[in-house]
Structure formats: C-alpha cells, structure tokens
Amino acid sequence: MRQSFVRLLSAAAILAAAPVAAQQQLPAELAKGTPSDVPVAVQIARWHMLDRDLNTLTFRSMDTLFTTRTVTRSGSVWSLPRADHALDFSYAFKGRTYRADAFLERTYTNALLVMKDGRIVSEIYRNNANERTRFMGWSMTKSVTSTLVGAALEDKLIASLDDPITRYLPELRGGGYDGTTIRQILQMRSGVDYEERYDFANPGIAATNHINALVKNVARIADVARTVKRAHKPGAVFAYKTIDTAVLGWLIERVSGGSVAAYTARKLWEPLGAEADGFYIMDGAPGVGREFSGAGFNATLRDWARFGQMILDGGVADGRRVVSSKWVEMASAPAAAEDATGGYGMQWWTMPGTPDFSTIGLQGQYVFVDSATRTVVVKLSYFPSDGDTATAETSAFPSAASACSPR
C-alpha cells in the first residue's frame, strides 16, 4: 500500500511539472516587447485569424476571439421586401464570360445579397453561415465611422470638418496630427507617417500596432497617433491608413461623451431598423479597451445590406432620417481626381467615371451602391488563395448585377 502511494506521489509530481515543459509557446513576434495578460492560446488564435485556411471561420467568429462591445438594435425592424430570383446573368473577367452562380466559388464567398430598388432579389449563405451569422466588416467599418462623424456634425458635437483635430483631441498636439483637419483625416490625407503595411516578419509601425493592440492588448490602436511623425503636408497626399479612422473613432468617443458602440447604436443601428445586434471588437479589456473603429465592426448580411440601402436612399432608412443627404453626397464623392481604378471620398471608395461607390474590407468584404440602377450588392468573403485575382474578379461582378433585370 505504501509503495503504491509513493508511486502516486511520484506520478503527481511529474504531471505537475509537465505543463511547464509542454506550455504552448508564443511566436517570436509576440514574445517580444511588453508581456500580455491575454492567454497564450488566445494570442496565438488571434495571430492566425487572417490565415487563409482558417478565415472562412474566423471572419464570422470574432466574438470568440476578442472582447467585444455590443451595438444594440432597438425598435421596429426595417422589413426588406423580397422578389427572389436566381443569379441568371453573366459577367466578364479577363476576356472570358462566367455565369453569375460560378462567381460564388471562384471568389470565395461566405454570403451574398443583391438588392434591386429596395427588394432582395438574391440572398445566399455558404460554408455553414446563415442569416444569424455576424460577419467582420474589416475596413467596411471605416464607412460606418464616417457616418458617425456625419451624425456628430449634424448634432453640432463637431462645429466644422475644417476644425483642427487637436481642438477635440488636444492629446495630439506636438505630433504628426497637429495642424491636420477632420476633413483631411476623413479623406485619408492626414499626412502622417504611417505605412499601411502588414509584413509581420519585418513589422513596421502598422504591423507593430496590430500586434500590440489587437493580438496582445497591451496598447490602444489610436495611441500611436500621439507620437506618429509627419510624412507630408496635411491635405497634399492621399495615403490609405487605418490609424486615421482610429483617430476618428477617438473623436466620436470624445465628443459624444460615451463609447463608440453606444453612439453607433443611437445614431445608426436603431434608426436603421437593424434586425440583429452588431458588435465591435475591442483593443483591450473592459474599462481599458477602445472599439476598433477602423476595421472591427461585425453585422449580419442583411444588416450590412440595410446600411448600403440607407446610403443609397440618401441617408433615409424605411422613412427614418439617419444621416443628412448632404453628408451622403459629400462622403461618397471623390475628394480628388479619380484614376483608372477610381478614387476616395470620406471613408468610401468611388468607382471610376460613374457615380457608383462602395465600402471595401480586407479579403473580399464589399458593399457596392449603384444609384443609377438602385442596386446594392453585399459580398462577405474569405480568401484561401489568389487574393489579388479574387479581388479583381469581385470588382467585375457588381456592374453586371446592376445591369441585370430579374424577371
């Protein structure tokens, strides 16, 4: 009996030591710098959330990876009438013609919705997604943030877009944003030295910010704005950068006196008539973190479509004014001359030579708005491979969807 007890004690000692030896190891990029309180397994999962063999799931499971803040829906739901049809049209890409239903697999689609004149004509879910799935918008969030700035301007929380950002965020004095206006930030013409490059093997300022704020939660995304340097005169050069939108989110937080999520609920999600709560992922724990206002909003397919339809309808959702028509017109117009690929307004992309515009997110997230044919196309995607080709082919689809007339 005593011998068995000794063997049990020895086994227990070995098991107690085993977790130390077998502890999951952080990638070298995460092990550097400030230690994080985020569990190692969660850090590693966040580190891999963009991986091309996982993102069909991670892009719709962000509430399992991050602390989140809910954007509550309230009131009556905007009922979207239906006139369901098959995708009975073709589109052209690189000299070849494809049936529209082939587009779904060719461009790695999780969900697709096409609306014509306010009616759903096609709504498709794939890869175990459904109408309750909430999809990460990535940089489509920038257009949500733009709409909130428009609401704050109308609420007179912001006096003028030509005010310097430091009027509202004095913490930015002395850095690259000092002397930059809200308008210039909206147009991605802040001039700050922040290259939107995510080479994690050789991380620059954006990749390091991603690691520290999103993966490790040891910094706030917008805090880099306090110390970032200036690369160009404000207003002179367009350079797409998520830090600009993070500053706009901080602005909304400051002028509204509450959270970005609360203002989104009050000024957008409730009057929009959303059918499900949305949510933002946070860059830190409750009481510390901020909403990732540059790329962290999540919503259902139909609620993304409601957002697009509201913008198409000049800021009106189901008869309710959400944001002014003047704001919609200004935000969706190119801020400077377009090139062959289009242009940029105030956190919206414009299509070359047309009044069409869209909000676009990482790896194939897309809300396209065509005012001439009153078409809205929402595509929510994952890119396991060949992302550049899939992006180019995705751009060929909405014009064909706009031109079709379902029978």
Side-chain angles (χ1 to χ4, degrees):
M1 181 74 177
R2 176 179 171 79
Q3 191 175 16
S4 298
F5 183 66
V6 170
R7 282 200 299 269
L8 284 171
L9 287 176
S10 299
I14 291 169
L15 287 171
V20 175
Q23 185 177 25
Q24 196 171 12
Q25 296 298 308
L26 284 168
E29 296 89 343
L30 303 186
K32 299 174 186 174
T34 306
S36 172
D37 291 334
V38 175
V40 168
V42 175
Q43 289 187 61
I44 291 172
R46 292 174 180 178
W47 182 242
H48 290 290
M49 67 183 170
L50 300 175
D51 287 5
R52 295 175 184 273
D53 54 351
L54 295 174
N55 58 27
T56 186
L57 296 176
T58 56
F59 285 6
R60 48 197 164 102
S61 306
M62 288 294 171
D63 53 344
T64 68
L65 290 175
F66 289 90
T67 300
T68 64
R69 187 167 279 161
T70 299
V71 175
T72 308
R73 67 147 308 274
S74 181
S76 60
V77 174
W78 183 2
S79 178
L80 301 176
R82 309 188 69 97
D84 292 273
H85 291 273
L87 297 174
D88 55 354
F89 61 92
S90 300
Y91 69 98
F93 178 65
K94 289 190 173 181
R96 295 187 61 182
T97 300
Y98 298 96
R99 292 289 305 164
D101 52 7
F103 172 79
L104 299 170
E105 188 64 27
R106 286 181 56 82
T107 61
Y108 314 117
T109 306
N110 271 332
L112 178 76
L113 190 148
V114 180
M115 295 184 71
K116 290 277 190 177
D117 202 23
R119 293 177 176 272
I120 297 173
V121 297
S122 185
E123 181 179 359
I124 299 168
Y125 298 94
R126 306 176 73 244
N127 304 325
N128 296 334
N130 58 45
E131 68 277 4
R132 297 179 301 280
T133 302
R134 293 182 294 182
F135 298 89
M136 180 77 154
W138 290 111
S139 285
M140 296 200 302
T141 308
K142 291 178 170 66
S143 302
V144 172
T145 301
S146 169
T147 304
L148 300 180
V149 173
L153 186 67
E154 195 166 343
D155 284 347
K156 302 190 185 311
L157 301 176
I158 298 169
S160 169
L161 295 184
D162 297 313
D163 283 344
I165 189 66
T166 52
R167 173 174 174 177
Y168 305 92
L169 299 174
E171 297 92 332
L172 300 183
R173 289 175 183 152
Y177 279 98
D178 203 346
T180 304
T181 68
I182 297 168
R183 186 186 304 275
Q184 290 162 341
I185 297 170
L186 280 162
Q187 295 172 343
M188 295 286 184
R189 293 175 175 271
S190 66
V192 301
D193 189 9
Y194 189 98
E195 183 184 6
E196 192 84 352
R197 178 178 64 86
Y198 294 95
D199 177 2
F200 294 111
N202 300 285
I205 188 170
T208 300
N209 205 20
H210 174 95
I211 293 168
N212 288 337
L214 288 183
V215 179
K216 299 173 69 174
N217 288 165
V218 296
R220 312 286 73 78
I221 289 172
D223 281 355
V224 171
R226 299 170 184 259
T227 56
V228 69
K229 305 300 182 185
R230 176 168 292 167
H232 305 283
K233 180 182 177 182
V237 175
F238 169 78
Y240 184 87
K241 51 181 76 74
T242 297
I243 190 64
D244 278 355
T245 320
V247 168
L248 294 174
W250 190 2
L251 170 68
I252 292 297
E253 181 185 279
R254 178 63 53 80
V255 300
S256 69
S259 70
V260 171
Y263 198 70
T264 307
R266 188 166 74 253
K267 301 303 296 187
L268 175 60
W269 224 233
E270 293 175 13
L272 184 70
E275 67 179 79
D277 292 347
F279 69 87
Y280 287 95
I281 66 170
M282 305 291 288
D283 62 10
V288 175
R290 285 196 179 105
E291 292 88 338
F292 185 19
S293 59
F297 188 62
N298 297 251
T300 66
L301 175 68
R302 287 201 290 254
D303 282 341
W304 280 117
R306 286 180 174 92
F307 178 59
Q309 186 67 39
M310 178 271 293
I311 295 295
L312 173 60
D313 290 340
V316 173
D318 198 24
R320 296 181 291 269
R321 172 64 63 187
V322 177
V323 68
S324 74
S325 59
K326 180 180 177 182
W327 179 264
V328 172
E329 182 180 354
M330 185 166 54
S332 61
E338 295 178 319
D339 61 21
T341 62
Y344 201 74
M346 292 182 175
Q347 312 280 300
W348 290 86
W349 294 96
T350 68
M351 306 294 105
T354 76
D356 304 344
F357 55 95
S358 61
T359 179
I360 302 172
L362 179 75
Q363 296 193 28
Q365 320 315 316
Y366 200 99
V367 177
F368 169 84
V369 179
D370 181 347
S371 55
T373 64
R374 293 192 51 75
T375 301
V376 174
V377 178
V378 184
K379 182 186 190 308
L380 301 165
S381 314
Y382 65 101
F383 280 180
S385 62
D386 197 17
D388 290 343
T389 299
T391 296
E393 190 161 348
T394 295
S395 298
F397 181 84
S399 58
S402 293
C404 80
S405 299
R407 296 181 296 276

